[in-house]
Every structure is written in C-alpha cells, then in structure tokens.
Amino acid sequence: MKTNIFLLSLLFSVGSLLTPARAQFPAMGGSTQPKALPGTAGDQSPKGTAKIVGSVVDSTQSKAVEFASIALFNKSTDKAVDGTVADEKGKFSLTKLPAGQYRILISFVGFRNKTIDNVTLTNGQSLDLGTIKLPSSVKTLEEVTVVGQAALIEEKVDRLVYNAEKDITAKGGDATDILRKVPMLTVDLDGNVSLRGSQNIRVLINNKPSTIVASSVADALKQIPADQIKTVEVITSPSAKYDAEGSGGIINIITKKNSLQGLNLNIDSGVGNRGSTLSLNGNYRKGKAGFTLGGFGRAMYNTVTKTNLDQNSLVNGVSTLTRQSGDGHSSGLFGQYNLGFDYDLAKNQSLTAGVRYGVRNMVNQQDLITQLFTNGTLGSTSKRNVDVKNLSGTVDANLDYLHTFKPQQEWSISTLYSRNDLTNNFDADLLNGSGELTGRQKNLNKNVNQEFTVQSDYQTPIKKNQLLEFGGKAIFREVNSDYRYLFAGPSGQFTTEANNTLGELTYHQNIAAGYTSYTYTTKNRYTFKGGLRYEHTFIDASTREGGNLGVGDYGVLVPSVNASKTVKGTTFKLGFNRRIQRPGLQQLNPNFNAANPQNITIGNPKLRPELTNNVELGVSKTIGKTFINATFFGRSTNNAITQISQPSDTIAGAIVTTYQNIGRQHTYGTNLFANVAATSKINIGVFLNAFYVDLTGQAMGLDGASTEMTNSGVNIGGGTFMNATFKNGWGAQAFGFMQGSQVVLQGRQGGFGFYTVGVKKEFANKKASLGLAAENFLNNRFNIHTVLNSPLFSQVNDVYLYNRGVRLTFTLKIGKMTMEAPRRKAKSVNNDDVKSDGNGQTQSGGTQSGGQSRP
C-alpha cells in the first residue's frame, strides 16, 4: 500500500528549560550554585545606563571568534556581575551597566584567556573596546597532562550517564559487558537488556536507530566493541522530541569520536578461552573535513549449554509427561565496519554522512533426547540433532545537516536508510532410541526489514530562560518474512512442494509524527519541561495464504512533563510520560519454529500496539565524597503484548508459545545507587533495583474458552563495582551483579549472576596498554531455573551455562594530533519507535520471558 505521509500540525505545550544559556564564566571561589546569566529570571544584578561593545577575533587569522564568552567583574569585589556571548560575527554588547570600576575576561575553548583591566564606566557612557584578539592555545597531545577523572556515573535532568571509557575490564568485550554495569539496566547471560524490569526499550547508537537493533537487541550489542563506547545514556522519561516507542525508556550508546587535527590509528585486540576480538579504527581531520574508517571483528567459541526439561500437559483428558535433556554448543562471528565523513560548510553549518555495515554469523548445535510418558507409561524415546543458523547483514546510511544561528538556536534535517537481511534456519536429524535415522526436518526463514526516515528539528530560545522546540518526522518501513517447512523420510530426500508448508508475511508500516516542547525556568530556579507528540501509524499487512490481515491504522497523542528543583544541594526530579510499544518482527513473524518440537514458537501478525503510562520521582544528593541517587517509579500498561504458552492439540507433549494483546501490567519500584570516592583514585559503587509486578491476562484454552491468569511478586537485583588507578599506569577494576528470579504471567523465570575482575598497565606515554580480565572464574556453571504453570500444563526448565572466561587484551595508538575547538555536531535521525526482539542465542528446552522485544 502506498501511503501519502504528511506532517501533522504542531501542538504546543508548556514546559521547562533544562539548561538556560549561560556565558562561560570562570569558576567562582566558594560558590556551589551556578550563577544566573544576566537577563534571566534568576538574575538580580544591579542595572544602570552605561554600555560596553566590542568584537572578538582570532589573533593569527583575524577571523571572528563566534560564541566567545565575555564576563564583567566588579574590581572591588572581584565577582562577576554581568556577561554575554559573542554572535556569529564575534560582536558582543553589554547594556544597562551601572557606573563603576570593572575587569573584563574574554574566553573560548581553544584560545588563551584575554583580560582587560581598569575599565571605568560613568552613567550614560558607551565604551567601544574595538577589536579584541584572542591568541590560540593549540598544543600537541604530548604536551597535555590531564589531571583528575570524570565521574563514573553522572546524573542529568532527564538521564543517567555511565562513562564507559573508564571501564578497563571491558577491553576485548562488547556492548553487553558495558551495559551490565549501568545502574537501572539488567543484561541476562544471552545479552537481552531490561530497564527497570521491562524489555520494552529502544536502543540507539549515537542517537541513530538500526534495523539490526530492531531485529535483535542482543545481537546488535554483540557487534559493538566495548573499547569504542564512550558513554551510555539511560533516558527514563523521554521528552516529546523522542519517538513515542519504548515504554520502558531509551538507551543511547555514544561511541568515541575524534575531533583532533591530524591522523591517528587505534588497534585493539583481545584473545581468551571463549572469544577473540580485533578492532582497527582510523581518523583523519584536516581543516574543515574529517574522515573515519573502522572495523571490528569478534569470534565466539567454546560456549557450552546443557538443558533439562520436565513438562506435563493435559489434552482431551490425556496426560503427557515430557522429559528432555540437551547438550549444545554455539559459535559465532560478528563484525561491524564503518565509514564516516563530516564537513564544515561554514562556521555555523555542518554536514555529516556515514555508512555502517554489520554482519552476524551465529551457529547453534544441540543434541536432544526426549522421552514421552502417556498417563504415566513410557511411550517413546527419540533423539534429535539440530543445527540452527542465525545470520544477518545490516546496512545503515545517513546524511545529516545542521545550521546553528546562535547559541541554542538551530535547525537540522536528517535522513537515514537502513536494511537488515536476516536468516533463521534450522536442520534437524530425527533418530529413534537406537540412534537410527527416521527422518529429517528443515525450516527456511528469510526476513528483510528495511526503512527510510526523514526528519527535521528546530529549536530557539525565547528570552534567556525559555526554549521552544518543534519538528516533524516520517518513517517508511517494510518487513518481509518468507518461510518454508520441509520434511524428509529416512532416505534423507525431501518431499515435493505439495507436502511442505509455505508462507509469506508482508508488513508495511508508515509513521507520520510531529512534536513540540517548551522549557521554562522560574526566578526560584524551578525547571519545567512539557511537550506533546502525535504519531499516526498506517499499516498494510497481508500473508500469502490468508490475504489482508485487517490490521487498522491508529494514532496516539503522547504527553510528557518533567520538572526539577535543587534545594540546599538536594535535587528533586518529577516526570510523567506516555509511551507506545509497537510489535516487532519476532512477535509478528508467523513462521512455525519447531527447532525443539517440544517447545514451539510462532508469531502473531495481528498484534496491536500497547500503551504505557510512566511516572517517576528522583532524589539525588552529594554528601562529602558520596553521591546518592534514589528513583521511585510506577508503570501501568494496557493491551500489553504478552507471551503465552499452552499445550499443542496436534503434537503430543508439545508446548506452543505465541504473543497476544491480552495483558495488563502494573509495576512499582525503586532504583538506588551510591558512589563513594574513597580516594582521588579509588571509586566504589553499589546499586539496587527492586520492584513489585502485578500481571493479568486472558488466554484461550484448547476448547476455545477464555481463561483469566494472574501473577504478582517482587523482583530484586543489584550489584557493586570498584575502580582504581595507581602509579606508573596501573589500574584495576572489579564488578559483580546478581539478578533474582523474574515474575512472568505464567510463573517465574530463573535468575542469574555475573562477576568480573581486571587489571591494566599503560606504557609508552599511554599510547599502548596491556590488560588481563577474568569473569565467573569461581563457578563452573550457572543454572537458570524457570517454572511455568497453567491449568493445562506445567513446566520446569533448567539451563546450565558454562561461561567461565579469561582474556588478554592489547591496545596501541598510532599518530600525533593537535587540539582544536570543538566542532558543531550535526543532528541525526533518532528512530526510537519500535521494539526489537529480545531473544538471545541460547537454544533451551523452553523458557518464557517477561517481555519480549519487537521490530
């Protein structure tokens, strides 16, 4: 279906300014509160009739230094009494000044400060300082000594930031190793990510989406090298500027970037008993242009999994007991390659382009032995050897333009094309209890997920304590799934097409969105930010065998409100937002996946989106050397997309799992975090996630009758970490995490644990490093114990993961660069609107997740 996408009329609302524009004043001794920029609501400086004007230029090129900071100090008190920022031509003006003796300080990043002493003003005077020349402070990196460290955890108005570049144990790992250490996040041993117990999240990479993330968050994270991650942002109360998708929140992974002049090359490598990595990243910048070229490869091996499954089912009065044991191992190759380009069209305009290709080749092999008991009597014993291939190739291409008019006033237009070719196949040999081949099965499932996005955003300050933002976005998305189920007899020859199962899903999803957001700061320094976003979704879905599925279009209005206030060093934050969760590829895909015929999964292409209301209250305070943060939250979801399991009425002893819009979920909890700077070089942190879940759902029985199911309980997880730096380039870090069992609608899903320690030694003037890290070295294996129950079946599943590991890492930096003033960064497409599949790679006897991801 072709849909004419149009941007809807922009809706306006009242909100708050997160960070009012301020001149870059130097630090004021003894002051812990930021000074109000003169002219804002918080400004209480005296007024007069004098005036100072001037212009700031580069001393070497005589070019204007736009946005330079000008601070006016009272000579007698040495306190800043006024200030401003130069415009794009370097010109500035200070007005309504009282008579007196002053000192002026002019500064900007990349230049040495300039001080003008003994400035005398009289009432009504207009003083022209003329052209002020700022000398450059460019130095080579070898001449720069960095003192002190950034905080490992930072809290901002709308997000929590984890500074991953300080993590030394993640060398040689991937993004999952980083996200495990971020407060509020939980990453299981398959790489599935939850935020406050919800997998209904959106993961962005440098504010951009990708179809590989849409297909599987766990797989996408395995393609991102930990060494290249700068920060991880956890956004729990997104503003109207963000797409409405992701009821649990947004995770934004920011990778390292180079804004230095010159050429450099970073080589990162690691080898271990369960995996090896190699990463090459090069950057070149000369003048207005910059280029990046990088590649990352990771091999996984020696990954062993054992399973035990006991399940009882009751169908038509016949009780069937299934006992199954499995031995499996997996291996995989992951890669990511990127090419980037940026260019400053002018001092206030920039262009950014990039292409990224990701590849995944995951193979799981599992040998299953299954016994079926009918009414207590052993009926059959069979063996099944299964090879599962999970392959994908992803291409992302973006082009972004940014025009900055003045501080906080900018316009951007961004485009993105993304395509993911995904293959999920399995081959199975069927054997009897004596090991003789009785048949073969094959499932071929090819998926293509592609989308094109264009968006435009504009923001402008209103006076100096207000900010207005608005924009529009259009997403054109198409998903195709072609599946085929083949059977063969003992001869191994597959039967003709007439005896095979064929199917195809075509799913068009186009989205038009518009938003507006308004920010305001009061005289008492209350900050309010409110916004409205409207999204209209056009859907055309059909299958080869069933025709049009009748999934209708829908629209949703999404409000968001955030407020903050600091009282005597304690910061309070309050937020409310509504979010939508659209179904994803794995939830929609009608492919009948019977790699394990006792635990079959099938998607539901008729799924509708779910709506969630979120509210949270946060409190944070620094006491001495300790930073404490506590957040209390509530989440209510209707029409929840819920995973439901029930006995098969055609395959003896089998359990079929699918997805339905049948659930209501209510969650109330808290996230606690504390970071202690024991010394200037040692940080210790602890965190706790605890929440109560109340689940209700309606499931259809084998007789067609609807059955109400409920479950509730408390989920608890937490961990601790330590980070230390020593003399002569030595450093050490330790981390440990435990997650208790999770409440799901039909039971509880097993908990797990993870811990790691590492040391690193830097040498050659920090241009090289050698590290050693070990994980789960005290345990031979972890057992994930899951129990599910319903009136028609019960299931106990144990998955044993053997993940003891050790790895040696090496890093080398080549090149010599010089520092420059920071560039303006082009905005980029930010598709946080679709849920991805949360399933990891472990092929187990059967588990149920509390919340699966979508496309």
Side-chain angles (χ1 to χ4, degrees), residues 455-609:
Q455 73 178 58
S456 182
D457 302 280
Y458 179 78
Q459 68 175 46
T460 183
I462 303 174
K463 299 183 179 180
K464 294 185 178 180
N465 63 332
Q466 302 172 57
L467 183 70
L468 177 66
E469 302 171 89
F470 55 87
K473 185 174 190 176
I475 305 174
F476 305 86
R477 183 176 289 134
E478 180 181 359
V479 175
N480 294 97
S481 178
D482 190 346
Y483 49 93
R484 177 178 302 179
Y485 217 99
L486 307 176
F487 301 89
S491 65
Q493 297 298 317
F494 288 97
T495 56
T496 61
E497 289 287 329
N499 296 318
N500 298 327
T501 301
L502 304 173
E504 181 181 11
L505 169 69
T506 301
Y507 198 92
H508 294 272
Q509 185 186 85
N510 298 331
I511 302 168
Y515 77 90
T516 184
S517 178
Y518 177 76
T519 309
Y520 179 70
T521 300
T522 70
K523 294 182 178 180
N524 297 325
R525 299 186 184 279
Y526 284 94
T527 302
F528 299 95
K529 181 164 188 160
L532 283 175
R533 183 181 186 92
Y534 181 79
E535 295 188 353
H536 196 90
T537 304
F538 305 86
I539 293 181
D540 182 12
S542 62
T543 61
R544 176 190 297 166
E545 58 278 15
N548 192 284
L549 296 175
V551 181
D553 304 342
Y554 55 88
V556 60
L557 183 64
V558 181
S560 64
V561 178
N562 290 284
S564 67
K565 168 69 172 176
T566 300
V567 180
K568 296 182 179 180
T570 301
T571 299
F572 297 90
K573 296 193 299 183
L574 180 64
F576 168 81
N577 62 82
R578 174 175 294 172
R579 309 289 291 167
I580 186 175
Q581 193 68 55
R582 297 180 180 92
L585 175 59
Q586 296 304 316
Q587 283 71 34
L588 296 168
N589 190 356
N591 177 52
F592 188 84
N593 190 332
N596 182 347
Q598 301 309 119
N599 279 278
I600 300 166
T601 60
I602 183 171
N604 179 4
K606 295 184 179 181
L607 287 173
R608 301 284 292 177

Side-chain angles (χ1 to χ4, degrees), residues 667-684:
T667 305
Y668 315 95
T670 183
N671 306 114
L672 305 175
F673 170 75
N675 186 37
V676 181
T679 69
S680 61
K681 296 184 178 181
I682 298 177
N683 279 303
I684 301 173

Side-chain angles (χ1 to χ4, degrees), residues 53-57 89-92 128-133:
V53 297
S55 62
V56 184
V57 300
K89 296 180 180 180
K91 296 181 179 181
F92 66 89
D128 188 350
L129 297 177
T131 300
I132 303 168
K133 296 183 178 181

Side-chain angles (χ1 to χ4, degrees), residues 686-721:
V686 294
F687 56 93
L688 174 70
N689 305 317
F691 52 92
Y692 173 80
V693 180
D694 185 12
L695 306 172
T696 303
Q698 297 285 334
M700 197 72 70
L702 296 177
D703 58 357
S706 178
T707 302
E708 182 175 273
M709 295 176 292
T710 61
N711 197 15
S712 61
V714 177
N715 299 338
I716 298 179
T720 183
F721 61 85

